[in-house]
Amino acid sequence: MLNIQKFFGSFFQKRTALFLVAPAIGVWPLFASRVLSIAAALLLGGIVFALCGYDAARLASDVVSASFGNVFGLEDLGLIWSPMILTGLAAAVALRIGLWNIGGEGQFYAGAMAAAWVGLHVQAPGGVALLLMALAGFVAGAAWILVPALARAWLAVDEIITTLLLNFVAVLLVTYVCTGPMRDPANAVTAASAHIPYEIPPLLDELHWGFAVSVVLVACVALLFGRTVWGYEVRVAGANRHAAAYAGMRVRRRIMEVFLLSGGLAGLAGMLEVAGTVHRLEAGISNNFGYLGIMVAALAGASPLAVLPASLLLAVLLNAGIVLQSYGVSKYAVLALTGLVLLGAAVGERLAYYRLAPTLAKLR
Amino acid sequence: MIELLTGMVATALLAGGVLLLGALGEVIAERAGVFNLGVEGLMAIGGITGIIAVAHGAPALFGMLCAMLTGAAFGCVFAASVVLLRANQTLCGLALTVSGGGLAAAVGQSYSGHPAAAVFASVHIPILSALPLFGRAVFSQNPIVYVIWIVLPLALHALLFRTRWGISLRAVGEDPAAADASGVHVLRVQFAAVVAGAALAGAAGGFLTLGYITSWSDGITGGRGWIVIALVIFGGFKPLNIALGALLFGLITALGFVGQARDWPVPPAFLSMLPYLATIACMIVTPFLVRRKRSRFLAPAALGVPYFPEQR
């Protein structure tokens, strides 16, 4: 019997014969493509900067020395690294079940707001108060994603748009709270709450224990997904929802659990930022951490452990934004650069599947 | 009360017009099976292009044309990534949103906060604008408004559902393999649809900064690109329904402004949340509508799935 697919396949090979698409690739080609494409995107960004009349090489060395040059730089890097570990982990957790949580920014704000409220209104010994704040942050973040999660699980409503739109609502809400109900009456200049009396103890000089907590949470989530039945079910549901349902897995319930965990982690990031770094609620407290978290997860390919290096890369890029400002370039230019890195990663991932035609023929 | 309503309609036509223009672009791309999540970035780029063009002495119409062309140029990059190379559409769309917004904010730094140098002037249509009730609100707009609300939806509807070209486009979005077998060049159609859609998204940004808000500031798009994507789903991927949806969203936005102007006892922040909350509410309601009307409002079957001719 004539195999139609093979027949047309051979026809196609005769026509092009230069590149073919491999059906599947291993982890290492994927990793190599990721590294190469990120390097290519950064190089392209550097070329654009050079064409605009800036000294790209000096800029790069400035960024590296500002980030890794001394202890202060490293600690500052750690301070912007740790929230991105958690927001990145939040997005990566959702990607595990094949869904996007684009609302990390909103959940971050919700968590920060709830934690600040608890910190200002609860009288308790330091440790207990911090635990309560963390709990409030986690619950608020999870609550912020509840409606999109329900809509996704039961009505198949696109979660990308619903989670994203809640970001704008959260920003408006926190701005309102900072200028209204929670505003510090002693401070007339900035839109911010009063100083919160409970602080996360420092790990080093400036870097607080929130960093260690973030790294430990990455390990916990990696174990949860890699070593438990629950994590296995989530992965199967992410790969093929119908197959998972057919095998008796409760897909909707897993979607809810994963989304609530995801929102909670982003909310916890907001709590750590309030209690460890900023010590009060501010209108612009998030610094785009939620949005950058999506990129972290995309670069990490939904793997919890890969979140660590991916978020480090973006933390360095965020530092580059601060260096750029000293050059008189808008800090937003670095957002354009991160977008370029993401585009490069997406294209590189696909290019990794392409093989020169003769190679694939040999494999067959 | 009448004053209130006519004021709302006038604002709704502008605010909703921005959304409609972007949504008509998005529906072209989505009907061809490509999910462009980068509308927000394209709108930001279009917006700043328009502002820069008029700052250099161009009239507003030329500024909007520049916005359109820049949108198309960035659409080419996106189309090359997702159509030709078949990269992940969600990732590339997010990348376009982020890099577009960042680029626009970086380039627009020195234009921030200044009023646009040239804007679309409103034209009073002689007899119609003297009509009672909504005459003044509807017929004293700038001419682009009529193009957006009447000409474009009808033209796109005719193009999609009454021409050979339209049936090819829709076939590509429903079943690219079948379209390919019947002689349609799938990748070429998708590429063209994405670029055309991106051009309209860029034009929407130009209309936002030259016709509606008439100035530039960071984050001026404020999630409109995402509301646009929701609007396409809400409108059942049909240009005329999308126009009705855009009117609804425009009215909701206008309601927030009216509330602020009239000192309603609601904090302005909550009124500003209205468009976002309304969009989410609409998205949750849509599945119920779809279930009742069966498949007529469903998304194109191959939406978001890259097409590999060799795996046919």
Side-chain angles (χ1 to χ4, degrees):
Chain A
M1 206 180 87
L2 176 69
N3 185 329
I4 294 177
Q5 213 169 356
K6 256 192 185 153
F7 177 77
F8 279 107
S10 63
F11 181 66
F12 187 78
Q13 279 178 20
K14 262 180 220 156
R15 265 198 309 185
T16 57
L18 188 57
F19 289 108
L20 281 175
V21 182
I25 58 171
V27 172
W28 286 110
L30 204 59
F31 178 74
S33 86
R34 187 67 28 111
V35 172
L36 281 177
S37 55
I38 289 171
L42 290 178
L43 191 67
L44 189 61
I47 291 172
V48 171
F49 276 117
L51 287 178
C52 291
Y54 299 101
D55 188 343
R58 220 187 86 204
L59 184 74
S61 74
D62 277 8
V63 171
V64 171
S65 66
S67 307
F68 304 102
N70 53 45
V71 183
F72 304 110
L74 273 175
E75 287 203 29
D76 278 345
L77 187 69
L79 280 184
I80 57 174
W81 186 9
S82 46
M84 270 195 281
I85 293 174
L86 279 187
T87 54
L89 190 63
V93 161
L95 271 184
R96 261 287 133 113
I97 202 160
L99 298 175
W100 289 87
N101 173 12
I102 309 283
E105 187 85 357
Q107 293 135 25
F108 188 99
Y109 273 110
M113 189 171 67
W117 192 88
V118 169
L120 288 171
H121 289 88
V122 169
Q123 307 283 332
V128 178
L130 282 174
L131 272 180
L132 283 176
M133 284 170 73
L135 191 67
F138 190 93
V139 170
W144 205 251
I145 203 178
L146 185 63
V147 171
L150 285 170
R152 171 76 238 184
W154 269 273
L155 297 170
V157 171
D158 190 307
E159 78 286 355
I160 297 179
I161 303 165
T162 48
T163 51
L164 182 112
L165 287 172
L166 281 176
N167 289 346
F168 296 97
V169 178
V171 171
L172 284 166
L173 186 63
V174 168
T175 310
Y176 164 71
V177 162
C178 285
T179 51
M182 282 173 78
R183 171 158 209 170
D184 179 12
N187 182 348
V189 189
T190 45
S193 76
H195 189 276
I196 294 165
Y198 309 103
E199 288 182 15
I200 298 177
L203 188 64
L204 299 167
D205 273 342
E206 275 187 66
L207 193 62
H208 53 81
W209 272 93
F211 178 73
V213 170
S214 310
V215 174
V216 169
L217 276 173
V218 168
C220 292
V221 170
L223 285 177
L224 188 64
F225 279 112
R227 292 280 178 275
T228 65
V229 176
W230 184 84
Y232 174 74
E233 290 196 1
V234 166
R235 217 173 52 204
V236 174
N240 189 334
R241 216 155 293 169
H242 303 294
Y246 190 70
M249 297 172 188
R250 304 176 67 178
V251 176
R252 284 177 169 160
R253 203 172 160 161
R254 293 292 100 84
I255 290 178
M256 289 304 296
E257 289 161 353
V258 165
F259 260 159
L260 293 183
L261 175 65
S262 171
L265 286 171
L268 193 61
M271 174 270 168
L272 292 179
E273 189 72 1
V274 160
T277 311
V278 184
H279 305 303
R280 58 182 191 174
L281 186 67
E282 285 178 353
I285 192 171
S286 164
N287 206 1
N288 282 332
F289 287 135
Y291 291 111
L292 292 167
I294 304 160
M295 275 176 253
V296 168
L299 291 179
S303 148
L305 285 180
V307 159
L308 287 176
S311 53
L312 177 63
L313 173 75
L314 282 177
V316 173
L317 278 179
L318 205 59
N319 247 356
I322 298 164
V323 175
L324 274 178
Q325 272 177 308
S326 70
Y327 278 67
V329 182
S330 162
K331 65 176 174 182
Y332 294 107
V334 82
L335 266 188
L337 190 62
T338 50
L340 197 61
V341 168
L342 187 60
L343 185 73
V347 171
E349 185 180 293
R350 180 50 64 187
L351 284 183
Y353 283 81
Y354 283 75
R355 294 278 179 280
L356 281 171
T359 357
L360 196 73
K362 225 179 280 171
L363 285 178
R364 274 179 187 168
Chain B
M1 189 61 200
I2 294 296
E3 256 176 83
L4 186 90
L5 274 177
T6 53
M8 264 178 71
V9 169
T11 313
L13 286 180
L14 289 174
V18 175
L19 300 178
L20 178 55
L21 197 51
L24 291 178
E26 181 69 9
V27 83
I28 301 178
E30 292 197 12
R31 276 287 184 180
V34 181
F35 198 37
N36 183 357
L37 278 182
V39 184
E40 180 89 358
L42 290 168
M43 277 172 88
I45 290 168
I48 191 59
T49 309
I51 286 284
I52 291 175
V54 295
H56 287 81
L61 192 62
F62 186 75
M64 199 166 148
L65 194 69
C66 290
M68 204 167 155
L69 289 177
T70 321
F74 278 83
C76 282
V77 177
F78 180 74
S81 313
V82 301
V83 176
L84 299 186
L85 296 170
R86 289 94 161 181
N88 185 312
Q89 295 181 2
T90 308
L91 281 185
C92 290
L94 289 174
L96 187 57
T97 290
V98 172
S99 54
L103 196 64
V107 173
Q109 206 176 16
S110 53
Y111 298 91
S112 187
H114 302 298
V119 296
F120 286 110
S122 51
V123 177
H124 297 271
I125 298 175
I127 298 157
L128 292 173
S129 65
L131 284 174
L133 287 179
F134 296 114
R136 204 177 156 70
V138 176
F139 296 106
S140 306
Q141 300 277 2
N142 63 61
I144 298 291
V145 168
Y146 311 116
V147 176
I148 294 174
W149 284 99
I150 300 168
V151 179
L152 273 179
L154 287 175
L156 192 59
H157 178 83
L159 198 67
L160 280 178
F161 299 105
R162 294 280 181 274
T163 66
R164 188 87 215 148
W165 193 85
I167 211 168
S168 305
L169 183 91
R170 287 185 291 132
V172 165
E174 298 290 346
D175 191 342
D180 198 357
S182 70
V184 177
H185 202 301
V186 173
L187 300 186
R188 204 177 288 167
V189 167
Q190 285 188 332
F191 198 99
V194 169
V195 173
L200 285 185
F207 184 68
L208 174 71
T209 54
L210 300 179
Y212 173 35
I213 293 182
T214 65
S215 71
W216 170 262
S217 57
D218 292 337
I220 198 170
T221 45
R224 285 189 179 81
W226 298 96
I227 296 181
V228 157
I229 296 166
L231 189 56
V232 172
I233 300 171
F234 182 54
F237 303 85
K238 290 178 173 18
L240 300 181
N241 292 351
I242 289 171
L244 288 179
L247 189 63
L248 177 70
F249 278 81
L251 283 170
I252 290 168
T253 311
L255 188 69
F257 289 141
V258 168
Q260 288 182 31
R262 302 226 151 189
D263 282 335
W264 284 358
V266 184
F270 289 92
L271 290 172
S272 306
M273 288 175 196
L274 273 177
Y276 309 116
L277 295 176
T279 309
I280 295 171
C282 285
M283 293 209 55
I284 293 173
V285 168
T286 310
F288 293 107
L289 297 177
V290 171
R291 206 169 290 169
R292 195 180 307 156
K293 303 213 167 164
R294 294 281 156 204
S295 63
R296 287 177 55 214
F297 283 80
L298 281 182
L303 181 59
V305 185
Y307 177 59
F308 296 92
E310 60 268 39
Q311 288 175 6
R312 193 169 75 194

